[in-house]
Every structure is written in structure tokens, then in C-alpha cells.
Amino acid sequence: MIKKYLVLAIAIIGTSVGSALGIKAAVGVTAWDALATTISNILNVKIGTVGMLLNIICFLLQIILLKRNFKKAQYLQLIVTFLIGTVVNYTLYDLLSFELPA
């Protein structure tokens, strides 16, 4: 069971790093990343933080829609949400802090 969670964490980190690379290189991003980037630029907040907030909103909507069918295991989504946002912020603002020439 621990091996599955470790593989999942590595996959989430890899996907988050890939998103940050796509945002930094400005080569085209997913609709979700584009929304987070736009809101980030408007509010002057880090992109990963906006992504966390958007994911939490979706999580809360999921609880409202599912009501009693919402399982306790689904609360693990919050861990994934914070992991993605933290990795995107760290990668984009710390590891990739250099400027790319246009």
C-alpha cells in the first residue's frame, strides 16, 4: 500500500513540475493552468497558491454535490491539492527563477 502512495506522490510531483515548466516556457498550458495563471496575474498571488484555492473550491463543491455519498478517503484530495500547489510554487519561483529570453 505504501508503495502505491509513493508512486502516486512521484507522479503528482512530476506532473506539477511539468506544469510549472510549461508555464515558465510559455509554450501552452492546460485550461486549468491558464485559469490559475490569469487569476494569479490579476490578484498578484503565486500560481500554485491560486491552483490550491481553485482545487479547494472544487473539493467543497464535490462535498456539496455528493453529500452522504462523499467517502472519508476522498479527504486525501486535500493532501494532493497542497502537494501540487507547493511543488508548482517551488519549481516556478525557486528552481526556475531565471529569465527566458523571448
Side-chain angles (χ1 to χ4, degrees):
M1 189 69 148
I2 292 175
K3 186 177 179 181
K4 288 181 181 180
Y5 284 119
L6 183 62
V7 169
L8 177 64
I10 291 169
I12 290 168
I13 290 168
T15 302
S16 302
V17 169
S19 292
L21 285 170
I23 292 168
K24 181 67 174 185
V27 293
V29 293
T30 65
W32 195 251
D33 289 336
L35 177 63
T37 303
T38 302
I39 293 172
S40 169
N41 290 336
I42 292 170
L43 299 178
N44 200 25
V45 178
K46 290 183 176 180
I47 294 172
T49 305
V50 172
M52 281 190 255
L53 293 172
L54 291 173
N55 285 328
I56 289 171
I57 290 169
C58 289
F59 176 78
L60 294 174
L61 289 173
Q62 183 182 15
I63 291 173
I64 291 168
L65 290 172
L66 293 178
K67 297 177 185 168
R68 294 178 188 225
N69 292 327
F70 190 83
K71 298 178 178 129
K72 291 181 180 180
Q74 290 174 296
Y75 283 102
L76 293 173
Q77 294 175 65
L78 292 174
I79 295 170
V80 173
T81 293
F82 289 106
L83 180 62
I84 291 171
T86 302
V87 171
V88 167
N89 279 341
Y90 177 72
T91 304
L92 195 56
Y93 298 105
D94 293 332
L95 293 180
L96 302 175
S97 59
F98 54 86
E99 289 296 319
L100 290 175

